[in-house]
């Protein structure tokens, strides 16, 4: 995922990056990629699953990945200037808003 974000951020035609994620297999790479996108002026919108104990259990059974602490992910997203949303609908709507060049409200 970090490579996808970094690649998209490096493309001149990218206006916004939408990510639906279960976990970060390379946390340092994720932080670097989010900062790269931020510095390039490419908003990253993330919908992180596994916020509750039940959804984390389901994600684990689906992919075998540990979803990690939701609070820790939120802190990283905020520090790196990424936009965190709660639903897939919000992910698509916010990515569309970001790609239009309109001002995005503070989260």
């Amino acid at each position: 995922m970090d490579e996808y974000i970094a690649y998209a951020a490096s493309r001149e035609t990218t206006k916004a990056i939408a990510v639906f994620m279960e976990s970060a297999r390379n946390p340092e790479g994720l932080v670097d990629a989010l900062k790269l996108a931020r510095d390039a002026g490419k908003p990253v919108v993330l919908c992180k699953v596994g916020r509750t104990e039940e959804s984390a259990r389901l994600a684990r059974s689906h992919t075998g990945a540990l979803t990690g602490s939701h609070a820790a992910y939120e802190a990283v997203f905020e520090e790196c200037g990424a936009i965190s949303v709660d639903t897939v609908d919000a992910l698509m709507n916010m990515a569309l808003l970001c790609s239009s060049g309109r001002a995005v409200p503070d989260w």
Side-chain angles (χ1 to χ4, degrees):
M1 173 186 18
D2 54 295
E3 292 173 356
Y4 159 77
I5 294 169
Y7 172 76
S10 73
R11 306 271 305 164
E12 187 177 320
T13 55
T14 299
K15 296 182 183 196
I17 302 166
V19 179
F20 180 83
M21 67 180 286
E22 290 183 346
S23 67
R25 298 198 188 274
N26 179 6
E28 289 179 14
L30 175 63
V31 169
D32 291 344
L34 291 174
K35 289 179 178 178
L36 176 70
R38 178 195 63 205
D39 295 346
K42 312 288 173 117
V44 179
V45 184
L46 298 117
C47 182
K48 168 76 175 71
V49 299
R51 290 183 161 94
T52 65
E53 185 69 32
E54 177 64 14
S55 61
R57 185 187 63 74
L58 291 171
R60 238 185 341 270
S61 69
H62 175 254
T63 64
L66 295 175
T67 55
S69 162
H70 180 65
Y73 276 103
E74 288 296 322
V76 167
F77 297 160
E78 184 176 340
E79 176 187 328
C80 296
I83 301 166
S84 178
V85 297
D86 295 334
T87 67
V88 174
D89 285 341
L91 175 68
M92 294 297 106
N93 288 330
M94 185 58 73
L96 181 61
L97 177 64
C98 289
S99 70
S100 73
R102 295 185 194 134
V104 177
D106 287 336
W107 257 188

